[in-house]
């Protein structure tokens, strides 16, 4: 069996649905299908998920929601009309769209999760109807009925291990199984959504749960590229890469996957093939275990992310003070903050944070407590901070890789705030000013790929 997942751009309108159906029916082993909500049809369009968020906000603010409901319904009706699906077959959709605001939710967060999740839910049911209308055997799989159980975090859920046992018991024959992406259900029966890349996460969960031979992730690019095509014209297309290379690159900004999205597939050792819905005949990029991978280039990819800040501390003889780091960790734990990295020297320590972890109030509270407990000689926040990841399984076997990376940047007068390789065999992390990050990525790419 193959599990195939389609992104929002792949399911944005009726013409895209035709491509999806052609892909799904081209191979009988493509049996489990994961849907996203309809994405943008053109540059100024609005994604259905964003329309549903607007619907939730209007309802919470006691505004008339009739027009936004009509706008959402029209998106699905437009797709249905492409296949001449009888109008009465969408009566359920209009009814359930209205009923979203008639249900009782434990909190506003659960309400928002339920509204958002219905973009995928409606699309999966619609695809099932269209397939059956075309005489293709298909069955809608409701996460609530199959037991796709998640934690009780309404908008940042994680899958519960029992889900894989539930999926393994799923009975099916030769029909196409249509799963909505992005959400699961809590033990209390409430809908909870995954974080960014939610449908990718569902695809990976289903691939592991059904013991798939391959997880095909269809998107709108031909392959995963060595760097962002917006920074480098016609970048090198990566044909094969490892799970851990993909994780490292996703962490620092690769937009193909959120860094947590493929973890279930990795755990189940399911290979992943990233392909283009608009050009399904192209090979795309295979993501495989490192044990099965032979690198052909020292570097596989370079990515950068600018959503970081750093707290710099200076104190003489810091390295001699027992429990120094523990005291800091206790302060961060007190305020529910996790850190990304903590490079240190004899008298200096820098703590790097994802800005999503911080509010101005938390920053002030952490600073106050550190001053009181640690009594540093200097404490200051660095807001202009970006991280660059240079990733490649081939790095470990090439002498001088660090020198080449640093020279590529320093030759263009870009200052490096931090270098961290640590225990990783496949990545080098650099810290720079946010304004320098894109240029640094471009120069590293040129050093390694344009010479090749």
């Amino acid at each position: 069996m193959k599990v195939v997942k389609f992104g929002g751009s792949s399911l944005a309108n009726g013409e895209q649905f035709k491509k999806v159906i052609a892909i799904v029916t081209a191979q009988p082993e493509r049996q489990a299908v994961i849907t996203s909500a309809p994405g943008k049809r053109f540059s100024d369009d609005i994604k259905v998920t964003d329309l549903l968020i607007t619907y939730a906000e209007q309802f919470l603010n006691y505004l008339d929601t009739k027009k936004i409901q009509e706008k959402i319904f029209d998106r699905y009706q437009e797709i249905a009309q492409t296949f001449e699906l009888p109008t009465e077959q969408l009566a359920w959709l209009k009814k359930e769209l209205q009923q979203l605001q008639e249900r009782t939710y434990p909190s506003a967060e659960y309400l928002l999760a339920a509204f958002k999740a219905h973009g995928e839910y409606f699309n999966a049911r619609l695809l099932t109807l269209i397939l059956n209308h075309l005489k293709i055997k298909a069955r809608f799989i409701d996460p609530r009925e199959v037991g796709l159980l998640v934690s009780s975090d309404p908008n940042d859920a994680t899958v519960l291990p029992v889900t894989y046992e539930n999926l393994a018991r799923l009975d099916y024959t030769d029909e196409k199984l249509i799963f909505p992406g992005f959400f699961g259900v809590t033990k209390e029966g409430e809908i909870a959504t995954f974080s960014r890349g939610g449908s990718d996460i569902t695809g990976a969960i289903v691939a592991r749960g059904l013991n798939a031979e391959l997880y095909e992730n269809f998107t709108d690019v031909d392959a995963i590229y060595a760097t962002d095509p917006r920074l480098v014209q016609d970048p090198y297309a990566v044909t094969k890469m490892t799970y851990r290379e993909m994780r490292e690159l996703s962490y620092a900004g690769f937009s193909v996957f959120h860094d947590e999205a493929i973890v279930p597939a990795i755990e189940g050792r399911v290979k992943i093939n990233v392909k283009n819905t608009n050009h399904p005949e192209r090979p795309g990029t295979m993501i495989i275990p490192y044990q099965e991978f032979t690198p052909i280039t020292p570097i596989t990819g370079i990515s950068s992310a600018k959503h970081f800040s750093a707290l710099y501390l200076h104190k003489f003889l810091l390295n001699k003070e027992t429990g120094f780091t523990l005291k800091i960790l206790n302060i961060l734990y007190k305020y529910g903050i996790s850190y990304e990295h903590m490079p240190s020297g004899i008298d200096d320590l820098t703590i790097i944070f994802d800005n999503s972890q911080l509010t101005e109030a938390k920053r002030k509270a952490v600073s106050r407590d550190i001053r009181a407990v640690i009594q540093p000689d200097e404490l200051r926040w660095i807001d202009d901070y970006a991280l660059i990841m240079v990733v490649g399984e081939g790095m470990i076997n090439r002498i001088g890789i660090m020198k080449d990376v640093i020279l590529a940047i320093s030759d263009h007068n870009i200052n490096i705030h931090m270098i961290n390789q640590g225990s990783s065999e496949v990545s080098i992390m650099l810290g720079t000013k946010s304004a320098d990050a894109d240029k640094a990525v471009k120069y590293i790419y040129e050093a390694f790929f344009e010479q090749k």
Side-chain angles (χ1 to χ4, degrees):
M1 171 195 273
K2 293 181 181 179
V3 170
V4 288
K5 174 262 174 184
F6 294 95
S9 60
S10 301
L11 294 162
N13 57 31
E15 292 306 310
Q16 289 299 107
F17 258 65
K18 288 181 180 179
K19 296 176 184 178
V20 166
I21 292 169
I23 291 168
V24 170
T25 55
Q27 297 180 13
E29 58 268 34
R30 285 176 174 153
Q31 195 163 0
V33 181
I34 316 299
T35 66
S36 299
K40 290 186 177 184
R41 297 161 293 185
F42 42 86
S43 60
D44 296 330
D45 200 13
I46 303 174
K47 298 177 181 178
V48 165
T49 300
D50 291 333
L51 293 175
L52 285 160
I53 291 172
T54 300
Y55 177 20
E57 291 171 346
Q58 289 182 0
F59 172 68
L60 288 170
N61 288 294
Y62 304 101
L63 300 175
D64 186 1
T65 61
K66 184 177 180 182
K67 287 186 178 179
I68 192 68
Q69 286 189 56
E70 290 175 353
K71 201 167 187 178
I72 295 166
F73 178 77
D74 287 347
R75 287 294 303 272
Y76 293 100
Q77 185 176 50
E78 177 187 305
I79 294 169
Q81 287 173 344
T82 303
F83 298 91
E84 298 181 355
L85 197 69
T87 305
E88 60 269 18
Q89 289 199 31
L90 289 186
W92 62 270
L93 198 157
K94 182 172 286 189
K95 181 180 179 182
E96 292 197 26
L97 194 58
Q98 169 65 27
Q99 287 177 340
L100 277 174
Q101 64 182 22
E102 297 172 358
R103 296 173 185 155
T104 302
Y105 303 92
S107 66
E109 288 78 13
Y110 274 108
L111 179 146
L112 178 60
F115 275 60
K116 287 191 302 181
H118 274 72
E120 280 75 8
Y121 173 80
F122 290 149
N123 226 21
R125 288 191 61 180
L126 178 59
L127 177 58
T128 306
L129 283 172
I130 290 170
L131 289 171
N132 288 329
H133 179 69
L134 297 174
K135 310 301 182 186
I136 300 165
K137 291 170 64 177
R139 173 160 60 109
F140 171 71
I141 306 296
D142 192 326
R144 289 167 287 199
E145 295 174 3
V146 77
L148 204 161
L149 297 177
V150 297
S151 62
S152 299
D153 304 295
N155 294 286
D156 191 18
T158 55
V159 65
L160 300 182
V162 68
T163 291
Y164 301 117
E165 298 173 20
N166 295 337
L167 287 170
R169 290 194 294 267
L170 179 64
D171 289 326
Y172 55 90
T173 55
D174 59 343
E175 64 210 329
K176 304 297 183 182
L177 308 173
I178 315 300
F179 292 79
F182 191 34
F183 75 94
V185 61
T186 69
K187 289 181 178 179
E188 296 76 29
E190 299 294 335
I191 285 176
T193 61
F194 300 116
S195 60
R196 294 173 296 165
S199 292
D200 291 329
I201 296 173
T202 303
I205 291 168
V206 172
R208 177 182 170 185
L210 297 182
N211 195 27
E213 64 180 272
L214 183 67
Y215 169 28
E216 294 182 308
N217 191 297
F218 282 88
T219 179
D220 55 2
V221 294
D222 285 340
I224 297 173
Y225 297 103
T227 195
D228 191 336
R230 293 170 295 185
L231 303 180
V232 174
Q233 186 175 2
D234 298 324
Y236 177 75
V238 181
T239 54
K240 283 186 180 181
M241 66 193 313
T242 65
Y243 296 138
R244 57 185 184 177
E245 285 178 323
M246 187 70 252
R247 286 263 296 149
E248 296 275 7
L249 289 166
S250 297
Y251 168 76
F254 256 41
S255 59
V256 176
F257 286 115
H258 176 30
D259 62 301
E260 298 175 10
I262 62 173
V263 170
I266 295 173
E267 293 171 338
R269 297 184 67 81
V270 180
K271 295 178 182 179
I272 303 168
N273 193 187
V274 177
K275 294 173 70 72
N276 192 340
T277 304
N278 301 311
H279 301 286
E281 73 285 355
R282 295 177 184 173
T285 301
M286 287 292 298
I287 307 174
I288 61 177
Y290 76 90
Q291 296 92 337
E292 303 176 24
F293 180 75
T294 302
I296 58 173
T297 57
I299 284 179
T300 297
I302 313 110
S303 63
S304 66
K306 304 171 186 176
H307 53 87
F308 298 98
S309 56
L311 177 61
Y312 169 75
L313 303 174
H314 175 80
K315 186 176 183 180
F316 287 114
L317 301 177
L318 177 152
N319 64 316
K320 298 291 186 181
E321 188 171 328
T322 303
F324 183 89
T325 306
L326 179 60
K327 292 173 185 177
I328 292 175
L329 293 177
N330 283 333
I331 292 170
L332 298 181
Y333 179 76
K334 175 182 175 181
Y335 295 104
I337 301 170
S338 62
Y339 71 94
E340 300 297 312
H341 306 280
M342 196 182 290
S344 63
I346 297 174
D347 300 320
D348 306 273
L349 181 73
T350 302
I351 312 170
I352 302 170
F353 299 96
D354 186 324
N355 287 331
S356 65
Q357 292 274 317
L358 300 172
T359 63
E360 189 59 32
K362 284 187 176 183
R363 281 171 59 134
K364 289 180 178 178
V366 167
S367 300
R368 181 188 65 240
D369 286 9
I370 287 178
R371 284 193 175 98
V373 176
I374 305 298
Q375 298 179 349
D377 299 316
E378 182 181 355
L379 180 155
R380 58 185 168 87
W381 285 91
I382 306 170
D383 294 316
D384 184 13
Y385 212 95
L387 292 181
I388 297 167
M389 296 295 295
V390 183
V391 176
E393 294 282 353
M395 289 168 49
I396 192 172
N397 297 317
R398 174 165 169 177
I399 297 171
I401 198 88
M402 180 77 79
K403 179 199 73 172
D404 293 340
V405 170
I406 293 172
L407 284 177
I409 300 176
S410 59
D411 282 352
H412 293 87
N413 299 314
I414 293 175
N415 189 31
I416 302 172
H417 296 321
M418 180 269 292
I419 302 173
N420 186 11
Q421 186 167 24
S423 61
S424 175
E425 296 180 342
V426 300
S427 69
I428 297 171
M429 178 184 295
L430 307 172
T432 69
K433 290 183 178 180
S434 296
D436 291 334
D438 290 348
K439 291 183 289 184
V441 169
K442 182 179 178 181
Y443 296 140
I444 295 170
Y445 177 87
E446 290 173 353
F448 284 90
F449 287 95
E450 292 195 358
Q451 288 180 12
K452 174 179 178 298

